[in-house]
Amino acid sequence: MIHLEALSKTYAHSGTKAVDGLSLDIRDGEIFGFLGPNGAGKTTTIKMLSGVLRPDEGRVAIDGIDMAQKPLEAKARFGYVGDNPELFTRLKAREFLNFIADMYRVPDDARCERIASLAGRFEIADALASPIGSFSRGMKQKLCLVASLVHDPANWILDEPMVGLDPQAAFTLKELMRSRAASGRCVFFSTHVMEVAERLCDRIAVITKGRVVFVGTLDELRDRRSSGGDESLERLFLDLVEDASGGRV
Amino acid sequence: MTAPFASLIRFYLRAFYGFSDAARVPLPPGTAAGTKAARAKRILATIGLALLVILVVGDIGFIFGASYAAMYAALAPAGLQSLLLLNAAISAALIAFVVGFVTALSTYCLSPAEGSLLALPIGPRALFGAKFAMTYLADAALSFIMLAVAALVYGLGERPPVSFYLYAILVALASPLVPLALAYLLLVPIMSVSRFLRNRNVVLVLGGILGAAAALVVNFYLQNSLARAGDAAWIIANLAGPDTILARLGAVYPPAGLAARALAHAAAGRQLDALGAAALALGMGAAAALAVVLIFGPAYAASLPAFGEGRLKRIAKSDTAAYIERSFRRSPQLAALFLREWRLMNREPVYLINGPLVIVLFPVIIGITMAASPEAFAELEGVAHALGGGPAKALIAAALAAFLGTATSIAATALSREGRALPYLKSLPVSARSFFGAKLLHALVFTSIGTVLGAAAGAAALGLSVAETLAALAMALTYGTAFDLSALWLDTAYPRLVWETPTAALKQNPNAVIAILADMAALGGLGYLATRLSLGLGGITALYAGGAGLIALGLALFFPRYAEKRLGDIEL
């Protein structure tokens, strides 16, 4: 369960207000899609949500634990896949996964079992002895996905997780998202791919210029747009963003 | 709009030196980067860099100047002073070849992504030409200093016309062209046929080892020159006459002979002869460079893509379960963080060579210096004696140990080295205390190794007693701890996190330069202070080890709180 309350962030270096009074509640057992055009504030929101950036205003709580008050406890409650899979290329995949498992204090048996299962599903088990630097972009992304689940978190936060994945891995990821949500866990991810959001998400939020302009189900979006029920999410999304931008996308 | 070739050279120079156009590009008003404070900071950084360049150039210039002045004094009475110019031209060419080869090797492929330049509408010869130009600019500096200093020494003694200095600049700029062309003439075919060498790690390690070896050769040459500076008979015997090495090298390497002749003619006022010789020297250099670029451009471009190839080692499918079973074991969080620091530092050739390996390299350089001029040992003893005996020897050993222990730049670049991985690390449930604790521990391990090695070397060289050795060790270790904490604080306050190659995180990191300069200043200051205090071994050890220990304790007490806040504030 993720709670974001009136989050705002202005970058000190550029003076850009990236997120402006954003509030969201993501429930357990749902897949929540976070949509928005480039530069809308998706990654900034995810970074605040994952404790990477400190909000100027507002509050983040993971399973009721306040990120500002108890950051380590809050961080232990989620798995995070960031927007940059180019991590620690000098480490071997095994060393990276062991390191992440150590950070979450995962016992030996559990880490072996989860890594065997996840690395098998993403088809990187045979590459675990290799340096990450020798991996392709997609393999690095798969490795980050495996690492994010090594402690079997209650919440899964992913920033553009489909980027670089082959169709098989993208399918596996979607299956994993569904199975985690079905077992009562929370999945929060950002994406540009409307088809993925349309087929996968229980609810979506659309953000543009740092503000949430819609939260709800796809049907609710269609009702709100009075579109007659058969318009694609892509069309609805573009209309929504165009309206929020004052007629320009 | 800039021509593609010029733009390519600028791109390579930026990638190699970490230059930026920040000073030229107008920043948006109202942004933090555009404020007066930010501009003042950039100007200050530029002034600092300029001072550093002056310091380095002045240092090198002084060494060559002293050597050439002695050479001139020995040769002038016999009327052989023009041999000084030939010596400088040959030495500059030799050093240009050694430094040029190492630079060309290390920068052959600056990053695996360089292969993507081939997708641009740029011909292979233009690509190679731009790389050649970049290497030339890096290489030309040293040979330029050598020839400029030689010309100055010669000019001060001979009072030549102004044109002499113009010719000196001309031949100095021409001097590295042929050596560099030769370096690429060797390198491109080797890279084209050797699959093993077309690997960035191999190139970086090999470049590092050859670079260290080249530095040792240059160091030996300089030390040897300085040691023989006062020996006029040796200078004449080795420089004058048709059978000397100098004469033979001059004969087999015409560009150096032409450069020396151009300068000698210019000094004597024979302008036409000078122009002819200089034009020939420059023409030979330009022709060699052009020929190599034109002939080897396609081969160079063809060898680049291999640098981006990954080499994945697959485990047999049937073995993966057993591999996972035996490979994944839990470690304490701090141990895992430390191990990550250790592996990432030691596996990145740029970090290893310019960090931990310095502990090995410095003693080798000192050893070579001592081998070149054994009297330096006696001088060291003399310095200790001049300082009034007592704890002076222990202090010298302590300074040596402290400098060796703090020369790795590990603490001063600890946060910068994380680069764009920092946001990911911040998402993990790790306290700032553990995160920075592992970094400090990593730095302290190498500080301890360097300190012990330095103290042992100092004790052996100066014949210290056990008590003196332990005192030196205590002073150096406490100093090293305080230094590491200060350097870590510095890099936490001003980390350089946005970089494309690891070189920028360590070698081009201002924090590493500031730390090493502050280190030298602090050690020098403490040495001077010791001469004013007139304390015994016990007193000076208590004062310095106790003082450094207290500073370290203070830093250790206040740093975690600062680090936690600072880590939270960093936006990337």
Side-chain angles (χ1 to χ4, degrees):
Chain A
M1 187 172 61
I2 297 169
H3 174 69
L4 309 179
E5 188 180 308
L7 285 185
S8 290
K9 179 72 191 174
T10 300
Y11 284 104
H13 185 70
S14 63
T16 311
K17 188 155 197 170
V19 175
D20 188 4
L22 184 145
S23 295
L24 286 174
D25 274 301
I26 298 103
R27 303 163 200 145
D28 285 341
E30 77 172 347
I31 301 177
F32 192 96
F34 197 41
L35 316 179
N38 289 333
K42 297 190 298 294
T43 295
T44 304
T45 303
I46 289 178
K47 282 182 174 173
M48 285 192 283
L49 155 58
S50 54
V52 172
L53 281 179
R54 187 181 288 156
D56 300 332
E57 290 166 32
R59 178 173 171 264
V60 174
I62 311 285
D63 291 342
I65 302 165
D66 191 291
M67 180 66 80
Q69 302 295 319
K70 295 179 177 176
L72 301 190
E73 283 179 44
K75 287 174 184 178
R77 305 286 305 170
F78 65 78
Y80 169 66
V81 179
D83 58 344
N84 171 28
E86 300 292 330
L87 298 167
F88 317 129
T89 52
R90 294 283 172 190
L91 292 185
K92 290 173 183 163
R94 166 183 66 83
E95 293 165 347
F96 172 65
L97 291 176
N98 242 337
F99 167 72
I100 297 299
D102 285 335
M103 295 305 103
Y104 289 102
R105 303 172 203 274
V106 182
D108 285 350
D109 288 351
R111 76 173 66 184
C112 286
E113 189 188 318
R114 286 174 199 151
I115 287 167
S117 163
L118 292 163
R121 289 186 74 171
F122 281 111
E123 299 179 328
I124 55 166
D126 59 347
L128 291 176
S130 297
I132 299 171
S134 64
F135 280 26
S136 67
R137 168 73 163 78
M139 286 178 78
K140 287 173 189 162
Q141 183 71 358
K142 291 177 192 179
L143 186 67
C144 288
L145 288 164
V146 174
S148 69
L149 293 178
V150 78
H151 56 303
D152 192 21
N155 304 277
W156 200 12
I157 302 164
L158 310 101
D159 193 356
E160 298 286 355
M162 303 292 171
V163 175
L165 293 183
D166 57 47
Q168 176 61 54
F171 178 78
T172 304
L173 173 59
K174 285 182 269 185
E175 286 295 295
L176 265 171
M177 285 174 157
R178 286 193 186 102
S179 69
R180 294 192 76 79
S183 65
R185 294 179 176 90
C186 163
V187 178
F188 177 96
F189 76 105
S190 70
T191 185
H192 279 115
V193 187
M194 295 298 142
E195 288 79 8
V196 171
E198 198 164 9
R199 288 180 191 168
L200 204 60
C201 296
D202 298 309
R203 287 197 303 148
I204 59 164
V206 178
I207 179 175
T208 181
K209 293 186 172 176
R211 286 175 171 273
V212 170
V213 291
F214 174 78
V215 185
T217 63
L218 194 57
D219 287 340
E220 285 168 351
L221 179 60
R222 288 195 177 108
D223 288 345
R224 187 172 139 181
R225 307 292 303 176
S226 309
S227 59
D230 60 349
E231 272 196 85
S232 69
L233 176 59
E234 187 175 29
R235 185 68 260 158
L236 294 167
F237 169 80
L238 290 172
D239 288 345
L240 201 59
V241 172
E242 192 176 345
D243 285 354
S245 308
R248 284 173 289 110
V249 182
Chain B
M1 197 177 80
T2 315
F5 184 66
S7 192
L8 202 55
I9 294 175
R10 214 168 60 186
F11 167 80
Y12 274 139
L13 283 172
R14 272 193 214 149
F16 183 48
Y17 289 105
F19 288 156
S20 85
D21 270 356
R24 284 178 41 198
V25 178
L27 292 159
T31 63
T35 61
K36 280 183 182 174
R39 282 178 197 280
K41 204 170 133 189
R42 280 207 313 279
I43 291 168
L44 211 64
T46 309
I47 293 170
L49 191 69
L51 284 174
L52 186 69
V53 170
I54 290 168
L55 185 76
V56 172
V57 170
D59 195 32
I60 297 171
F62 174 78
I63 293 169
F64 284 120
S67 176
Y68 288 143
M71 212 179 279
Y72 181 84
L75 294 168
L80 297 168
Q81 61 271 40
S82 63
L83 287 175
L84 164 70
L85 300 171
L86 181 61
N87 178 277
I90 290 173
S91 304
L94 278 174
I95 286 184
F97 176 73
V98 173
V99 175
F101 187 85
V102 173
T103 312
L105 175 68
S106 309
T107 59
Y108 194 90
C109 180
L110 286 166
S111 116
E114 204 179 327
S116 60
L117 290 176
L118 297 173
L120 298 173
I122 303 165
R125 292 180 177 92
L127 194 71
F128 184 39
K131 181 60 77 69
F132 189 104
M134 182 207 82
T135 320
Y136 166 79
L137 288 174
D139 199 20
L142 195 59
S143 58
F144 187 85
I145 295 170
M146 288 177 73
L147 278 166
V149 169
L152 269 176
V153 169
Y154 187 85
L156 283 172
E158 301 296 310
R159 310 261 172 216
V162 179
S163 60
F164 168 81
Y165 297 102
L166 295 176
Y167 281 111
I169 292 171
L170 197 67
V171 297
L173 291 174
S175 169
L177 285 171
V178 175
L180 196 56
L182 279 172
Y184 275 114
L185 186 73
L186 291 172
L187 208 52
V188 177
I190 291 171
M191 288 294 191
S192 298
V193 297
S194 165
R195 181 70 193 81
F196 165 73
L197 281 173
R198 289 200 302 265
N199 177 309
R200 217 174 135 257
N201 287 346
V202 174
V203 163
L204 283 170
V205 169
L206 206 60
I209 292 168
L210 287 176
L216 295 177
V217 168
V218 172
N219 184 50
F220 184 80
Y221 168 81
L222 290 175
Q223 296 297 338
N224 209 27
S225 301
L226 282 177
R228 301 281 189 182
D231 192 347
W234 183 90
I235 291 171
I236 290 177
N238 280 274
L239 298 186
D243 290 329
T244 59
I245 296 173
L246 191 67
R248 277 185 233 149
L249 283 173
V252 297
Y253 185 67
L258 284 168
R261 233 175 292 155
L263 293 179
H265 286 316
R270 296 187 294 271
Q271 301 300 337
L272 211 59
D273 292 337
L275 187 66
L280 260 176
L282 192 61
M284 285 177 89
L290 202 64
V292 165
V293 167
L294 291 177
I295 294 167
F296 289 103
Y300 169 78
S303 65
L304 277 183
F307 283 89
E309 288 173 13
R311 288 166 188 79
L312 206 62
K313 283 181 225 156
R314 299 267 186 196
I315 309 163
K317 294 262 185 219
S318 54
D319 294 339
T320 53
Y323 177 79
I324 289 171
E325 194 63 37
R326 69 170 183 271
S327 301
F328 289 91
R329 290 282 174 272
R330 185 176 173 177
S331 307
Q333 208 180 50
L334 187 66
L337 285 162
F338 173 80
L339 202 58
R340 186 188 70 98
E341 296 283 345
W342 180 276
R343 284 170 172 158
L344 290 177
M345 184 100 200
N346 295 348
R347 288 181 190 170
E348 177 57 61
V350 173
Y351 295 163
L352 178 68
I353 290 160
N354 298 284
L357 214 63
V358 170
I359 291 173
V360 178
L361 204 61
F362 268 12
V364 175
I365 291 173
I366 291 168
I368 284 185
T369 308
M370 295 301 183
S373 49
E375 57 274 20
F377 269 120
E379 279 175 23
L380 215 56
E381 291 266 13
V383 170
H385 189 71
L387 289 172
K393 280 186 182 178
L395 278 168
I396 291 172
L400 186 69
F403 189 68
L404 198 59
T406 52
T408 61
S409 300
I410 293 175
T413 59
L415 192 58
S416 297
R417 293 196 310 271
E418 301 293 2
R420 289 193 173 92
L422 187 64
Y424 182 74
L425 290 165
K426 282 173 73 178
S427 78
L428 299 173
V430 181
S431 68
R433 189 178 286 269
S434 300
F435 180 67
F436 284 102
K439 291 185 177 300
L440 181 64
L441 197 62
H442 180 216
L444 284 176
V445 165
F446 284 100
T447 293
S448 304
I449 295 169
T451 302
V452 170
L453 281 175
L462 295 162
L464 298 191
S465 66
V466 174
E468 285 173 319
T469 309
L470 288 175
L473 207 54
M475 285 187 273
L477 272 175
T478 46
Y479 172 86
T481 307
F483 174 88
D484 281 346
L485 271 158
S486 309
L488 185 58
W489 198 313
L490 173 72
D491 198 50
T492 306
Y494 305 103
R496 187 178 196 184
L497 293 163
V498 180
W499 43 263
E500 299 305 325
T501 62
T503 309
L506 198 140
K507 271 176 88 174
Q508 295 164 356
N509 190 333
N511 294 339
V513 180
I514 291 168
I516 207 79
L517 290 178
D519 194 20
M520 288 194 272
L523 288 173
L526 289 170
Y528 175 74
L529 185 66
T531 63
R532 316 298 299 169
L533 291 173
S534 307
L535 289 171
L537 182 66
I540 202 78
T541 307
L543 181 68
Y544 278 5
L550 277 175
I551 291 170
L553 195 67
L555 291 168
L557 277 175
F558 291 106
F559 179 67
R561 188 175 294 177
Y562 170 78
E564 188 175 0
K565 186 183 175 310
R566 179 72 189 116
L567 196 61
D569 288 343
I570 291 173
E571 294 173 351
L572 196 66

